Amino acid sequence: MTAQMKLGAFLWATGHHIAAWRHPKAHVKAGIDIDHYMALARTAEAAKFDMIFCEDAAGLREANVDIASQTSRSIGFEPISLLSALAVQTSRIGLVSTASTSYNEPYGLARTFLSLDHLSGGRAGWNLVTSASQIEAANFGAAGLKPHADRYERAREFAEAVTGLWRGKAGHDGQSFSVRDPLDLPRSPQGAPVMVQAGASDVGRDLAARTADVVFTAAQTFEEAKAFYDDLKGRMAAYGREPDDIKIMPGVAPVVAETEAEAREKFEELQELIPDDVGVALLSSYLSISDLWRHPLDGPLPDLPESEGMKSRQALVVEQSRRDGLSIRQLARHFAGARGHWRIVGTAVQVADELQARFEGGAADGFNVMPSYFPGELDAFATLVVPELQRRGLFRKAYEGATLRAHLGLRRPS
Ligand SMILES: Cc1cc2nc3c(=O)[nH]c(=O)nc-3n(C[C@H](O)[C@H](O)[C@H](O)COP(=O)(O)O)c2cc1C
């Protein structure tokens, strides 16, 4: 049988395109509409996606949010609560939520995810993040964002404590955390919830190689994706792990339609909805620089101080700006659209061709699909691209097992 790719449905309120909420077919109050999320979950499950994925940051995503209007990108459910509701509306699809190692404690978080795992019959996953946002940090004490290396050292110990608890072990006594008892729950139906990670810096990759079952990444070109894939798989032997123990799933932001012309038109319509201030604000956050506005928008990126935020994302933006000679405004539009992820615009055949090339070229084990706006673009992927992948034998037509680990072809942990 042909090897089959894994697919995640990355849910995010109105959609992944930065201007999704301005699209006439988007649902502007999606963030707190449970019916909206239930419909998306059912679509993803009917299409046999491996998992639904929810990102998170415990804070506002932009300045001057009008909470009362309920239309901001910043407004949305806390994702583990949301997935608990979706768990009882679905029966097979995996449920992965983000949670921060900087603003939680291992015992509480291990307990929450193991509960989600039990109540979904073994379908839960935790996307471990160290949280790079200053805005988020300000909600958890006045000290501000901790240095990158300190966040990752805490994350390493946090993950060790959580996986110990999930394996039924008692006690953890370390630098940052102390836990006395085991959890008040039995082992997970899938052995342990699935561990997901998306760190791309050197320490981030090491942590993934040591602990992750699934890794998300942002890679624009085949070469970037392949280099990341080989590097991460190459780091695993040092931790006594096989390359296949991690599934690497880069983000992909497809815009798909029956014809290429229609897909291009759909994409241009979205790009034209991006306001300059939104684009530049997002670019600034990737670059960890607050005064990008002071530089002429039609000029090149200035030289930047080294980031304590998302080091890998900063490097990606800088490289692209130098490679393609883009102005600040052009870069802002480019990155704002797909937020630094890989974009494919075309027909189902063209999208499937591109996914197949990265999958078979050894640059990905699957993809985290980031629809531009919901529900329309998830529907388009499910009804156009998934059947094309199935025709090629590249994606399942039915779930093989009941748990997220089974879908992903991961070993049950001892
Ligand atoms: C698909 C994807 C989803 C992510 N989701 C979140 C998230 O929900 N919350 C968060 O704080 N960071 C998120 N990140 C950021 C990563 O956790 C990480 O901070 C970033 O990739 C930079 O890694 P580095 O600090 O190791 O360079 C995500 C990254 C990717 C590629």
Side-chain angles (χ1 to χ4, degrees):
M1 195 180 82
T2 323
Q4 293 194 327
M5 60 178 70
K6 310 298 170 194
L7 290 179
F10 187 164
L11 304 190
W12 195 6
T14 45
H16 285 277
H17 193 281
I18 192 80
W21 57 279
R22 303 183 75 201
H23 193 276
K25 288 196 187 138
H27 173 18
V28 280
K29 296 187 180 176
I32 50 159
D33 182 349
I34 186 62
D35 293 328
H36 169 73
Y37 284 104
M38 288 192 311
L40 299 184
R42 282 195 287 265
T43 299
E45 187 166 69
K48 311 292 182 276
F49 273 80
D50 291 78
M51 64 182 118
I52 286 167
F53 167 65
C54 295
E55 57 84 51
D56 193 35
L60 304 176
R61 315 294 170 88
E62 63 224 317
N64 308 320
V65 179
D66 176 8
I67 303 279
S69 76
Q70 299 179 17
T71 57
S72 155
R73 226 161 51 83
S74 280
I75 294 170
F77 296 120
E78 182 288 311
I80 308 174
S81 311
L82 171 62
L83 290 181
S84 301
L86 297 183
V88 294
Q89 294 290 327
T90 53
S91 60
R92 303 300 278 276
I93 196 162
L95 306 164
V96 178
S97 174
T98 298
S100 175
T101 53
S102 295
Y103 311 122
N104 287 290
E105 281 272 327
Y107 194 91
L109 201 83
R111 186 166 179 252
T112 303
F113 276 100
L114 190 52
S115 297
L116 178 64
D117 209 17
H118 276 288
L119 67 87
S120 63
R123 296 186 284 134
W126 169 33
N127 177 40
L128 177 163
V129 298
T130 71
S131 303
S133 142
Q134 300 276 5
I135 299 173
E136 201 174 357
N139 294 331
F140 296 88
L145 190 63
K146 297 239 169 57
H148 192 267
D150 296 359
R151 294 203 311 273
Y152 268 107
E153 179 44 32
R154 179 181 162 104
R156 189 200 54 74
E157 192 193 329
F158 198 118
E160 188 184 300
V162 168
T163 48
L165 287 163
W166 284 344
R167 283 164 179 69
K169 293 185 191 142
H172 171 92
D173 191 15
Q175 193 74 25
S176 303
F177 309 109
S178 173
V179 177
R180 194 188 63 186
D181 291 333
L183 290 175
D184 53 351
L185 286 162
R187 281 291 290 263
S188 150
Q190 54 175 344
V194 168
M195 281 282 270
V196 181
Q197 227 234 288
S201 60
D202 199 50
V203 275
R205 293 178 194 209
D206 270 333
L207 181 63
R210 180 197 286 264
T211 59
D213 300 307
V214 172
V215 171
F216 295 147
T217 82
Q220 298 269 330
T221 64
F222 177 88
E223 289 68 30
E224 277 165 20
K226 175 84 180 139
F228 178 86
Y229 188 97
D230 291 343
D231 176 86
L232 186 60
K233 299 255 173 170
R235 289 174 192 242
M236 296 174 67
Y239 301 104
R241 306 182 70 203
E242 302 288 329
D244 213 32
D245 292 343
I246 290 184
K247 306 299 171 195
I248 298 180
M249 301 174 62
V252 59
V255 177
V256 60
E258 299 278 359
T259 67
E260 187 177 341
E262 258 179 88
R264 300 235 150 262
E265 205 176 299
K266 203 152 64 158
F267 177 58
E268 285 312 320
E269 187 185 359
L270 279 159
Q271 289 294 93
E272 274 166 28
L273 294 173
I274 304 175
D276 274 342
D277 58 342
V278 170
V280 173
L282 190 76
L283 190 64
S284 306
S285 74
Y286 288 165
L287 296 170
S288 306
I289 166 176
S290 55
D291 64 348
L292 201 53
W293 272 114
R294 290 181 210 271
H295 300 271
L297 294 191
D298 291 316
L301 264 192
D303 288 330
L304 300 166
E306 196 176 338
S307 162
E308 277 305 324
M310 295 194 215
K311 284 186 194 293
S312 49
R313 195 69 67 97
Q314 185 187 67
L316 195 119
V317 175
V318 171
E319 200 207 301
Q320 175 127 17
S321 81
R322 307 281 183 256
R323 187 178 66 218
D324 299 341
L326 300 180
S327 68
I328 293 175
R329 195 191 314 271
Q330 287 168 325
L331 262 182
R333 274 203 163 191
H334 178 83
F335 278 95
R339 306 191 345 273
H341 286 267
W342 179 34
R343 150 94 58 222
I344 316 174
V345 182
T347 62
V349 168
Q350 289 171 320
V351 173
D353 283 348
E354 299 254 4
L355 298 181
Q356 181 168 7
R358 288 209 185 180
F359 176 62
E360 292 182 345
D365 297 312
F367 303 95
N368 201 12
V369 178
M370 307 170 57
S372 298
Y373 61 88
F374 290 112
E377 285 293 286
L378 178 63
D379 292 341
F381 193 89
T383 56
L384 298 173
V385 181
V386 168
E388 180 60 29
L389 294 172
Q390 289 168 332
R391 254 192 298 283
R392 299 178 188 198
L394 289 167
F395 192 58
R396 71 169 66 83
K397 289 184 173 162
Y399 288 111
E400 307 84 9
T403 67
L404 177 54
R405 269 181 201 283
H407 305 337
L408 293 169
L410 292 168
R411 270 187 279 196
R412 202 185 157 87
S414 55

